[in-house]
Amino acid sequence: LLQWLLAPYMIDSMYRVRPADRRQYARLYEIVEGLCRRMRLKMPKLMIADLPIPNAFAYGSPLTGSRVAVTTGLLRELEEEEVEAVIGHELGHLKHRDVQVMMFASVLPAIFYLLGYSLMWSSWLGARDREEAGGLALVGFASLAIYWVLSLFVLHLSRLREYYADRESALNVPDGARKLSEALAKIVYSTGRLHLHGRGAQGFSAFKALFIEDPDKAGSNVLLLSSHGRRSDEALVRSILSRRLTWADRLAELFSTHPNIVKRLRALQELR
């Protein structure tokens, strides 16, 4: 509960977030206000995060209200129509109350983790005899196993919410599926390029579940696109779509907060 209430202040400090000046970002305000009318949402507070990686995130709590932040890297790397699609995705998170959903979903695994951890320590230090120690250890181990399974479920739920937010953008932004596909492809490419050159793509993943794309995947994604050069946006999307998914990709996705980029773009193609 405290994390939910105070997280916006932590995020603002960690990611150097500030309110977007209405005069300086007048066109950005127009985009957000137009999408909010279309999606029947209350206007969130628009924020700018001083980060080099192109990304965006929705967050908030009862203490701060809903917020949508875009990074300076996003505004620099993406075209206006692509920024609109990204904002449509973030507003989709607010529409589905994903901040609250994921906060409550993460509570149950945490309870089983604390229970299992406490019982394991009790079996070692507090048991009166070997039989009691064995029983505590067994229940503790079972609790930790349940925690692990529930954690995989929470990760799956997080990926599912990303697909839902993608769909909201595709449905509410004109030609949204194409725009969001190009935006995601450019975010992956640009973040990977920063990672490759060691220019600030790392160190921003403490709240990576918030981002539209996981910055931790930058290393593998830049290898994926290493032969791309820098052609058209459409060619960049095609280069990702042409990649064959391996069993390693599918396994890695199980432990990720975000869908595999290839699967994600394929889902968007079905909405075009």
Side-chain angles (χ1 to χ4, degrees):
L1 180 61
L2 284 174
Q3 179 180 334
W4 179 37
L5 292 175
L6 301 179
Y9 301 108
M10 298 166 61
I11 292 166
D12 287 350
S13 175
M14 184 177 300
Y15 296 150
R16 303 189 292 278
V17 180
R18 66 183 188 278
D21 181 83
R22 194 168 198 45
R23 288 175 296 180
Q24 183 178 358
Y25 297 100
R27 180 56 187 148
L28 194 60
Y29 270 95
E30 290 177 12
I31 291 172
V32 177
E33 288 168 345
L35 285 173
C36 284
R37 286 193 296 270
R38 195 172 299 144
M39 298 171 73
R40 298 180 181 179
L41 283 173
K42 182 180 178 181
M43 177 72 180
K45 192 169 184 179
L46 186 57
M47 313 293 283
I48 302 295
D50 187 19
L51 297 179
I53 57 172
N55 227 304
F57 47 96
Y59 64 116
S61 78
L63 297 180
T64 63
S66 297
R67 300 180 175 188
V68 169
V70 296
T71 68
T72 51
L74 186 89
L75 298 177
R76 182 178 63 252
E77 296 285 344
L78 268 59
E79 299 168 19
E80 183 179 292
E81 65 174 16
E82 296 161 350
V83 173
E84 180 185 22
V86 168
I87 291 173
H89 170 98
E90 299 306 330
L91 292 177
H93 280 308
L94 296 181
K95 182 176 180 179
H96 297 148
R97 301 185 181 276
D98 286 338
V99 175
Q100 295 92 323
V101 168
M102 294 310 301
M103 190 278 294
F104 284 114
S106 66
V107 168
L108 196 57
I111 290 173
F112 276 98
Y113 174 79
L114 291 171
L115 177 63
Y117 190 79
S118 299
L119 289 174
M120 293 295 284
W121 273 105
S122 296
S123 69
W124 295 331
L125 302 177
R128 290 171 295 184
D129 53 49
R130 185 173 298 179
E131 183 178 350
E132 182 179 350
L136 289 172
L138 182 62
V139 177
F141 180 80
S143 296
L144 291 175
I146 294 172
Y147 153 74
W148 188 79
V149 172
L150 289 175
S151 294
L152 290 180
F153 169 76
V154 171
L155 290 171
H156 174 75
L157 181 62
S158 177
R159 295 192 298 272
L160 197 61
R161 311 307 289 187
E162 292 298 326
Y163 282 122
Y164 288 160
D166 284 350
R167 184 176 180 84
E168 284 293 332
S169 180
L171 294 178
N172 288 286
V173 175
D175 198 15
R178 176 190 64 80
K179 294 174 182 177
L180 186 58
S181 294
E182 293 179 359
L184 289 170
K186 289 169 77 171
I187 287 170
V188 166
Y189 179 79
S190 299
T191 305
R193 207 176 52 200
L194 286 169
H195 178 90
L196 183 65
H197 294 96
R199 297 203 308 267
Q202 299 175 334
F204 302 123
S205 58
F207 290 93
K208 67 180 181 180
L210 294 173
F211 287 125
I212 190 171
E213 176 59 19
D214 184 356
D216 279 353
K217 295 180 181 177
S220 59
N221 286 329
V222 77
L223 293 176
L224 161 66
L225 302 171
S226 58
S227 61
H228 170 71
R230 191 65 177 90
R231 301 190 294 273
S232 68
D233 297 341
E234 186 178 350
L236 180 56
V237 172
R238 287 200 305 267
S239 71
I240 297 176
L241 288 171
S242 65
R243 182 173 183 263
R244 184 177 65 87
L245 287 173
T246 66
W247 66 267
D249 294 325
R250 299 181 189 279
L251 180 62
E253 188 184 32
L254 291 176
F255 302 96
S256 175
T257 56
H258 290 68
N260 179 281
I261 185 62
V262 180
K263 292 174 64 176
R264 197 169 176 183
L265 292 188
R266 287 175 182 174
L268 282 169
Q269 296 308 300
E270 296 175 2
L271 298 175
R272 293 186 66 171

